[in-house]
Amino acid sequence: MAGLEDLYREVILDHYRSPRNRGELETPPAIMAEGFNPLCGDEIQVYLLVEDGVIAEIRIGGQGCSISQSSASMMSAAVLGRTPDGAREVLRSFKEMMSIHEHGLDGEPISTDDQPGASGLGDLEALRGVVKFPVRIKCATLGWNTLDQVLDQTGT
Amino acid sequence: MSTATLNVTTVKADFPLLGREVNGHPIVYLDSGATSQKPRQVLDALDRYYEEINANIHRGAYLIAEKATTAVEDSRAALAGFVGASAAEEIVFTKNATESINLVAHSWGRTNLSEGDVILLTTLEHHANIVPWQQLAAERGVVIRWIPLDDDGRLDLTDLDQLLDGVRLVAVSAASNVLGTLPPVRRIADAAHAVGALCLVDASQWVPHYPTNVADWDCDFMVFTGHKMCGPTGIGLLWGRRHLLDAMPPFMGGGSMIQNVTFEGFTPADVPTRFEAGTQPIAEIVGLRAAVDYLNAIGMEAIRQHELDLTAYAMRTLTERFGDDLAIHGPHDLENRGGTLSLAYRGIHPHDLSQVLDQHGICVRAGHHCAKPLMKVLGVNATARASLYLYNDESDVDALADGLAAAGDFFAF
Ligand SMILES: Cc1ncc(COP(=O)(O)O)c(C=O)c1O
């Protein structure tokens, strides 16, 4: 049985308690996309300011559960300073980690070269346990799907 | 109707699912507002139907087809009695409350409403009683107005007279699926009639819990859904006044709903068949009848009293244990509310709360409960909702309180 500690890892609770890059940015010059989890009503806004081809600033707004909030907080830290393409790469790795198809339902990676640490996701690895709680995957990916939308607006 | 009190131990034993364990704990099911569990009596009726009389209805001249047809019409009659309808023909079977409301919006609404006509809703409606009207509004230029709530989560009827100006239909829930609020349906129906409007009652959260009588409400349409009242999924109901149904065109076209079909066109059947296109969910109709029989045998008055006592116990227990750490949305006086308890606890997100409760085998709902406009009024995105039913007892409430305490410890920061 998957226990609560599998889901609510310390790093996650830390990001929930003190979320990074919370707030808003003025649009324009920043761009913004809004995401909804239709199941639970969570809402998130992702603001990006792209300067000289890199994400110079990112802010997260909205409300949500510990999983959606901490995931968005970690995401903001992970993509800050990257190019839009670099951010898309992190996004891809993260979504891969979240996809049940790549894992047994117990959340363990199926392929051996997909060990924790190998993904370059850093803190985000803590969210791996979410896969054991399929209903919560939508929470964990809310911010990322919204990032995906806002990246589309960068036109790069 | 039985006046005996409800023996919750006996009742609980009727529900096989309530005997199982979840995450190593006996299940504590507090999500009957979403769907109720089913008693053995209903499950057996479904089995018996398929094992003994399964056949399509109104079509065969052989024995089991006749028996199946009779079972469906007997169910219709039983449901008419259950809700105080004056004739079985006023009962239309649908898939669920959602389809019933869509039926009225399409058939009555598109026939009778045009640009500038007003539909009056309340801010506590379920999306099922909002979106079909918004679709009509977008298509026909119908205007939607909202009865607001007061600070206690009751309808604020102060400006009802002004709100009713130009109104053709008032659509109101008899019981809120979020706040437990019990709006004064009769008063609203009377006010609607005084301006020549009709009144539709969404009784999805009422019929499972209280004696229902459409004549006492004096409403014009009433809808509910079978799966919240111990019946199967896939079966719901529309009751309408006969003369209104008679004047309404079919909603869906197909088999069964016609009197005649030629190359040139069709003549619709009489009500209620006119609204029951295609093969009906026969087993579910039979199962719903078994649910009605089950509830009647216990007695709706006894069920109401049991839930009233349990709701009082729950509100007392939660308030005593958690004080200001816990808020219960909606009315606090028991005359104005049912056993639906939307909770806010120490700022813990409802999703996280329900996750911890799940570890203790406790099923509560976290989310917007298909009432996003109401969430906006409450100023939240979601609530954690515990909803009580006839099979719940004080031990379930105590388990909830223990679970909340555990969640508080886990998220204490
Ligand atoms: C008040 C209310 N109306 C309508 C519905 C819709 O019921 P169904 O989804 O069975 O059509 C529900 C149930 O979720 C409800 O609580």
Side-chain angles (χ1 to χ4, degrees):
Chain A
M1 178 184 108
L4 283 181
E5 347 33 87
D6 291 311
L7 183 64
Y8 296 115
R9 307 276 297 277
E10 194 45 45
V11 187
I12 295 178
L13 292 176
D14 173 57
H15 276 266
Y16 183 44
R17 274 174 222 140
S18 22
R20 326 290 198 260
N21 302 306
R22 248 199 100 71
E24 300 175 11
L25 293 173
E26 201 181 320
T27 53
I31 47 181
M32 189 272 277
E34 194 165 21
F36 298 91
N37 184 341
L39 289 176
C40 63
D42 283 0
E43 300 173 11
I44 206 159
Q45 293 96 35
V46 177
Y47 296 83
L48 280 193
L49 183 68
V50 179
E51 279 176 353
D52 301 328
V54 297
I55 298 171
E57 287 197 68
I58 180 166
R59 292 282 186 284
I60 309 291
Q63 295 178 32
C65 65
S66 59
I67 301 302
S68 73
Q69 293 294 290
S70 62
S71 181
S73 169
M74 288 187 230
M75 172 188 86
S76 72
V79 303
L80 186 65
R82 289 182 193 260
T83 62
D85 271 344
R88 284 190 187 95
E89 224 163 87
V90 184
L91 189 137
R92 217 163 15 247
S93 311
F94 182 77
K95 297 273 277 233
E96 224 161 74
M97 185 172 82
M98 283 296 115
S99 112
I100 312 187
H101 308 295
E102 323 256 328
H103 298 78
L105 250 187
D106 58 0
E108 297 311 321
I110 283 168
S111 86
T112 43
D113 50 83
D114 187 18
Q115 287 302 327
S119 64
L121 285 170
D123 273 4
L124 286 163
E125 285 284 346
L127 284 161
R128 192 179 286 278
V130 174
V131 183
K132 297 179 192 172
F133 300 81
V135 210
R136 304 302 292 272
I137 293 175
K138 280 220 157 57
C139 307
T141 52
L142 177 63
W144 296 82
N145 289 330
T146 313
L147 174 71
D148 201 4
Q149 289 174 39
V150 76
L151 283 171
D152 283 347
Q153 297 175 31
T154 63
T156 59
Chain B
M1 194 180 281
S2 154
T3 49
T5 54
L6 178 158
N7 181 334
V8 70
T9 314
T10 322
V11 168
K12 223 172 211 186
D14 287 334
F15 291 78
L17 189 141
L18 296 179
R20 68 162 287 177
E21 293 199 342
V22 168
N23 290 332
H25 299 268
I27 193 168
V28 175
Y29 188 73
L30 295 171
D31 197 18
S32 300
T35 196
S36 75
Q37 294 307 333
K38 321 301 174 199
R40 169 66 62 207
Q41 289 82 342
V42 168
L43 303 176
D44 285 349
L46 293 171
D47 280 349
R48 255 196 330 272
Y49 167 76
Y50 280 120
E51 288 170 10
E52 294 171 12
I53 61 168
N54 174 48
N56 213 332
I57 54 170
H58 299 308
R59 285 173 202 183
Y62 49 91
L63 181 85
I64 59 171
E66 270 169 27
K67 284 206 179 295
T69 305
T70 305
V72 166
E73 294 315 315
D74 285 353
S75 173
R76 198 188 303 279
L79 278 146
F82 192 59
V83 302
S86 51
E89 292 72 34
E90 295 180 339
I91 301 294
V92 178
F93 288 119
T94 61
K95 185 169 58 171
N96 49 33
T98 303
E99 183 181 315
S100 301
I101 296 173
N102 276 278
L103 192 165
V104 176
H106 275 261
S107 176
W108 180 84
R110 279 162 179 74
T111 309
N112 292 285
L113 300 184
S114 52
E115 181 149 359
D117 284 338
V118 181
I119 293 173
L120 185 58
L121 306 177
T122 85
T123 49
L124 56 66
E125 297 310 310
H126 185 281
H127 293 168
N129 199 25
I130 297 177
V131 180
W133 307 117
Q134 289 177 329
Q135 289 177 300
L136 189 62
E139 194 182 305
R140 289 293 165 92
V142 170
V143 176
I144 295 176
R145 240 178 253 151
W146 305 87
I147 300 177
L149 295 184
D150 67 17
D151 292 342
D152 295 329
R154 289 175 301 203
L155 295 192
D156 178 355
L157 298 175
T158 324
D159 297 327
L160 185 59
D161 288 344
Q162 289 96 298
L163 286 169
L164 278 166
D165 185 37
V167 166
R168 302 287 312 280
L169 176 80
V170 184
V172 58
S173 284
S176 159
N177 68 318
V178 178
L179 302 175
T181 309
L182 306 174
V185 171
R186 175 61 191 250
R187 184 175 160 200
I188 292 168
D190 286 349
H193 293 152
V195 300
L198 300 184
C199 178
L200 177 147
V201 179
D202 176 356
S204 302
Q205 298 286 347
W206 173 280
V207 172
H209 307 282
Y210 306 93
T212 303
N213 191 307
V214 289
D216 286 350
W217 276 337
D218 201 28
C219 56
D220 303 289
F221 296 109
M222 188 271 295
V223 309
F224 63 88
T225 202
H227 65 90
K228 295 186 204 284
M229 52 175 285
C230 300
T233 52
I235 183 68
L237 192 141
L238 163 68
W239 167 86
R241 287 186 195 274
R242 180 66 192 261
H243 74 275
L244 293 171
L245 294 177
D246 276 341
M248 284 159 54
F251 171 37
M252 287 189 279
S256 305
M257 49 68 70
I258 47 92
Q259 217 157 54
N260 191 23
V261 182
T262 63
F263 286 109
E264 289 70 39
F266 73 96
T267 331
D270 287 338
V271 291
T273 319
R274 183 186 304 168
F275 301 110
E276 294 175 353
T279 298
Q280 294 299 292
I282 304 167
E284 287 73 14
I285 291 172
V286 170
L288 184 58
R289 197 272 161 85
V292 165
D293 290 348
Y294 180 77
L295 294 173
N296 274 336
I298 294 167
M300 290 311 297
E301 198 51 59
I303 292 171
R304 188 191 74 87
Q305 191 58 48
H306 170 74
E307 291 181 20
L308 193 64
D309 294 345
L310 191 58
T311 306
Y313 177 78
M315 298 195 51
R316 202 167 56 236
T317 303
L318 295 174
T319 312
E320 275 169 15
R321 273 191 69 173
F322 302 109
D324 288 344
D325 278 350
L326 182 124
I328 301 172
H329 293 289
H332 280 225
D333 55 319
L334 292 168
E335 287 90 72
N336 277 303
R337 68 137 51 245
T340 298
L341 303 165
S342 264
L343 310 172
Y345 179 56
R346 295 182 65 175
I348 303 171
H349 191 280
H351 232 160
D352 294 318
L353 210 49
S354 70
Q355 192 84 57
V356 179
L357 292 174
D358 177 54
Q359 293 293 307
H360 294 80
I362 304 165
C363 312
V364 302
R365 178 129 309 222
H368 53 61
H369 318 294
C370 297
K372 285 195 86 173
L374 174 58
M375 293 293 118
K376 180 136 192 150
V377 171
L378 297 176
V380 297
N381 278 356
T383 74
R385 180 189 72 183
S387 46
L388 306 170
Y389 202 16
L390 76 166
Y391 38 65
N392 292 120
D393 59 16
E394 295 185 357
S395 78
D396 296 327
V397 172
D398 294 340
L400 172 66
D402 292 344
L404 286 170
D409 291 343
F410 194 85
F411 283 102
F413 45 78

